[in-house]
Amino acid sequence: MKKRELAALIDVSFTLNRGERIAIVGESGAGKSILGFSIVNLISKPGYIESGSIKLENKELTTMNLRQLQEIRGKRIAMIFQDPMMTLNPVLTIGNQLVETIRSHTNISYKDARNIAIEKLHNVQISSPEKRFDQYPHELSGGMRQRVIIAAVLLLNPDIIIADEPTTALDVTIQAEILQLLLSICRDNGVALILISHDLGVVSKVAERTLVMYAGHIVEEGPTLEIINDPQHPYTQGLLNALPQMTIPGQRLNQIQGSMPSLAERPTGCAFHPRCPYATQKCKQEQPQFIYSGVSSVACFMIEDMLNEFADTDKEVL
Amino acid sequence: MATPLIQISGLEKAFSTNESWLGQWRLRQGKLARHKDSVHALNGVNLTINQGETLCVVGETGCGKSTLARVIMGLTPPSAGEIHYLDQRIDQLNNRQRMFFRRRMQMVFQNPYASLNPRMTVYQTLSEPISFHNPQLSQSSVDEKIDELLESVGISASSSDRYPHEFSGGQRQRISLARALSVEPDFIVADEPLSALDVSVQAQVLNLMMDKQEERNLSYLFITHDLAVVEHFATRVAVMYLGRICELSPTSTLFSSPKHPYTQALLSAIPRLDSNTAQPIRLIGEVPTPTEKPIGCVFQARCPYANQRCYESSPSMTLQSDGSSVACHAIEEGRL
Ligand SMILES: Nc1ncnc2c1ncn2[C@@H]1O[C@H](COP(=O)(O)OP(=O)(O)O)[C@@H](O)[C@H]1O
Ligand SMILES: Nc1ncnc2c1ncn2[C@@H]1O[C@H](COP(=O)(O)OP(=O)(O)O)[C@@H](O)[C@H]1O
Ligand code: SF4
Ligand code: SF4
Ligand SMILES: [Mg+2]
Ligand SMILES: [Mg+2]
């Protein structure tokens, strides 16, 4: 059989400022998790970063060796996953895992480490932290486990937290609490956040800036609330319009035809063209480039043409 | 006027969690005693589902929504209580007696991967129930029916010889719906049918469900944790907590004036798109697992308004002036 390689991310660029909170949104298969993993070079084999550059301050991450990367992952960039059990060890107590984390990079006694761990559990609003300290992950609820993960992240005192769908598996009341906790931790400690989510409601509560992804591309980027109030890219528009709250109760929802293509069947030109109501011949052949629309940066020929038209009529008026 | 289709009263369901005989023995004060651990998933549910309506059931994980669905469908027997379909009692039927109701009542599950047989083509998946329930139909009529059904859920009839894995999640859920519709039921129980789907695809499935409801005067019992979907789709909403219904209201009433303290907390936690929404109401602790049958109000351990009476007696559903029903002592006493 012939070996085939498929690109999950295509020409993705963005910057994250110190202490800034951004969100990556899009439907499943858009490439959000792969983007999150690439930042810390955690892509599972045989996947790899083919080209491009990822810089933390002025240090290049894509060419680092494993030891250097582990240093970065431990101390500068922390990850939170949808499933806390990706991080927690099922056969160790919560307390021992936290103590181990503390003692792996500071030289303090077990007793002092224990006190710090209990304090952090308290900070993430875990009730009776002394009791929880001796419990195993399976004895805790999903929401509680996610709090433990956040406590562990706090211990590392990172510059950046990458949270991949951290509340997707949780009930809405617990979700609200965890989001509040994440938000206050980032604010209080000046930690930057990359929140990966499919839920625009969640994103609107936490992120200042939003990147919308479709089929491995970023298609729109701008301030979260402006994108929500005035989406520019046809996909972002479709995504928002499809939400039940955008239609009068009982009426049919605005659906986007079709579904996200898999890597193997990704269309040429603008990847959204088979589903886009505005697609033209050009969209099928060429890749749109980013332009600033006045609200956000968008990769779309329709927006580009509109902007050009306005520019032309402006000239005529003058 | 609303006509009841399904009526449920006093429904209880307890699962024993140490099923093996050996596992049931405990040493208590030096003596061996037999003890059955159990989870009380439903603790007295009263509910009516009207013809042509969508009744949405909401509540946290573990509050008993799926158990309610499964007990109604006869997939597991209740521990107590009654279920009526029109004027027939259906909670104690044997398999043969249930056959008629199998046709009238259908279920759609959250995970269309798990509920469709991976080794059956779409054609086989649909022809089986159609031929079984309509033995008089000729082969060509069955085929015609399948084509019609597939087209009506937006799946091309020419793809009927394909297997489930060859379709996307949204398409698979529409095939599950086609299978449920194939026997022309009056009532469909849908347990989180949209949870595995993306927003744009959710809209396709929800629109389809609305179309079918209009065409056939279908009744839905629709379980979901997505409150935006509930607000859009439900005729009435039942809010569950620890195996009981604590509020049952017409949809717009529930969202404009939630009354039960739990409903208020639940609605306040929805991450709405606008930025300037109020802070969510924080509840104390988390949902406990009901290993004992609850005494008093099921919500007492987390309720900011609980008093002595709440620990001792269970509040019953009381009709309010705006058409909602609420089970809460504080509301009854005018404290809330
Ligand atoms: N290890 C892998 N091998 C092959 N394809 C993969 C792998 N991981 C992810 N993909 C594919 O890459 C695309 C993007 O995946 P992902 O980043 O997980 O999407 P998202 O997080 O936005 O749902 C999907 O089409 C997915 O099927
Ligand atoms: N087959 C079973 N055996 C034992 N306990 C069960 C079983 N099914 C459900 N339960 C328990 O019953 C309660 C209600 O579960 P379920 O109806 O699945 O809730 P929901 O669908 O609202 O999340 C939970 O505590 C669950 O663990
Ligand atoms: S580039 Fe063309 S196909 Fe792509 S979103 Fe814009 S109008 Fe639609
Ligand atoms: S009955 Fe009591 S405990 Fe239950 S919701 Fe009302 S006030 Fe709270
Ligand atoms: Mg993902
Ligand atoms: Mg369930």
Side-chain angles (χ1 to χ4, degrees), chain A residues 27-28 125 141 147 171-173 175-177 180 200-202 204-205 225 239-240 243-253 255-256 258 275, chain B residues 59-61 168 198-201 203-204 206-207 210-211 214 227-229 231-232 265-266 269-275 277 279-280 282-283 286:
Chain A
E27 295 174 292
S28 54
Q125 294 147 19
S141 69
R147 285 181 203 277
D171 281 311
V172 55
T173 51
Q175 162 168 286
E177 291 173 16
Q180 200 58 47
L200 284 156
V202 164
S204 76
K205 296 284 162 274
L225 295 179
L239 204 57
L240 272 152
L243 294 174
Q245 53 268 48
M246 294 296 170
T247 317
I248 298 167
Q251 292 196 347
R252 298 300 178 271
L253 300 177
Q255 57 191 51
I256 310 178
R275 304 176 75 189
Chain B
E60 252 145 310
T61 309
S168 70
D198 278 315
V199 177
S200 70
V201 180
Q204 296 168 5
L206 206 54
N207 284 348
M210 289 195 256
D211 287 343
E214 259 175 37
L227 291 153
V229 169
E231 189 166 14
H232 187 79
L266 188 66
I270 306 174
R272 300 210 179 256
L273 283 178
D274 40 308
S275 56
T277 37
Q279 281 286 310
R282 237 201 118 182
L283 294 172
E286 297 197 358

Side-chain angles (χ1 to χ4, degrees), chain B residues 203-238:
Chain B
Q204 296 168 5
V205 175
L206 206 54
N207 284 348
L208 175 66
M209 290 188 73
M210 289 195 256
D211 287 343
K212 294 299 164 192
Q213 182 167 44
E214 259 175 37
E215 277 167 42
R216 306 178 180 207
N217 196 35
L218 273 171
S219 311
Y220 289 125
L221 180 75
F222 192 95
I223 296 171
T224 177
H225 63 267
D226 186 340
L227 291 153
V229 169
V230 173
E231 189 166 14
H232 187 79
F233 186 43
T235 318
R236 292 186 302 148
V237 187

